[in-house]
Amino acid sequence: EDVPIFTPQAAGAELWRMAQPYDFLFFEHWMTDLMGHRRQLTDAVKMLGVFDGFLGGLLDVADLEQTLIIVTSDHGNVEDCSHGKHTENPALTLLLGARRQVYANQVRALTDFAPIIKDFLCIRTVDSPPYPYRLDTFQNPPLPPSATLPEKHCPRPACSRPRCARH
């Protein structure tokens, strides 16, 4: 069977279409990292142009009133392809869409993203052991009786999660 070929813009729009049944989508783009390690600046710049088109296509169709898009990196390297190693430069982070102003000042490190994502998705959490809630498993322990949360639902239409303390 043939695999469809999309322009970068159409691929961004297609990602939005495919993501609709889900509450959370993680998309990884690693080609610029690879090109930075290979010290291929010209190719990295071209690939950033492709990603720019992809992101533009996604933003053209995304419901930014109901969606938070996070674009970030775990390290720098593509901005300095002279040595092929990671840099200690701050990594780019873009927050696009709903609640971006609320979360922008909370981003200082990669570890800051999990609480932001949990809050945006209205995932109930109890931070103290032995009741950690994790995004990577559906086998979370039940909430202890002392952890009562509001019965209201998230104000976002189409969201039926119990309302978290911040919304």
Side-chain angles (χ1 to χ4, degrees), residues 14-66:
E14 180 66 10
L15 180 69
W16 177 255
R17 186 195 65 75
M18 291 171 40
Q20 292 317 290
Y22 306 101
D23 294 325
F24 179 77
L25 174 75
F26 182 92
F27 172 80
E28 181 181 19
H29 176 77
W30 50 266
M31 286 301 296
T32 50
D33 182 56
L34 179 65
M35 291 171 185
H37 286 299
R38 291 183 177 170
R39 303 188 324 201
Q40 298 173 331
L41 179 59
T42 302
D43 291 339
V45 169
K46 288 178 187 173
M47 186 53 62
L48 286 169
V50 170
F51 183 76
D52 184 60
F54 173 84
L55 184 58
L58 174 62
L59 293 174
D60 284 345
V61 297
D63 177 1
L64 296 177
E65 296 293 321
Q66 301 293 322

Side-chain angles (χ1 to χ4, degrees), residues 74-150:
D74 59 341
H75 58 74
N77 87 332
V78 74
E79 77 281 6
D80 182 358
C81 292
S82 66
H83 50 73
K85 298 178 183 174
H86 295 164
T87 69
E88 295 189 21
N89 295 325
L92 166 77
T93 295
L94 300 174
L95 299 178
L96 308 161
R99 299 182 57 81
R100 66 190 177 278
Q101 296 92 346
V102 173
Y103 298 127
N105 291 328
Q106 298 176 30
V107 178
R108 299 283 180 263
L110 281 177
T111 54
D112 296 328
F113 289 110
I116 289 170
I117 294 166
K118 286 178 183 180
D119 182 71
F120 186 78
L121 294 175
C122 298
I123 295 174
R124 300 187 306 171
T125 63
V126 175
D127 295 326
S128 59
Y131 299 99
Y133 277 68
R134 299 170 45 159
L135 285 173
D136 61 348
T137 178
F138 291 105
Q139 300 174 352
N140 289 318
L143 284 171
S146 62
T148 57
L149 296 171

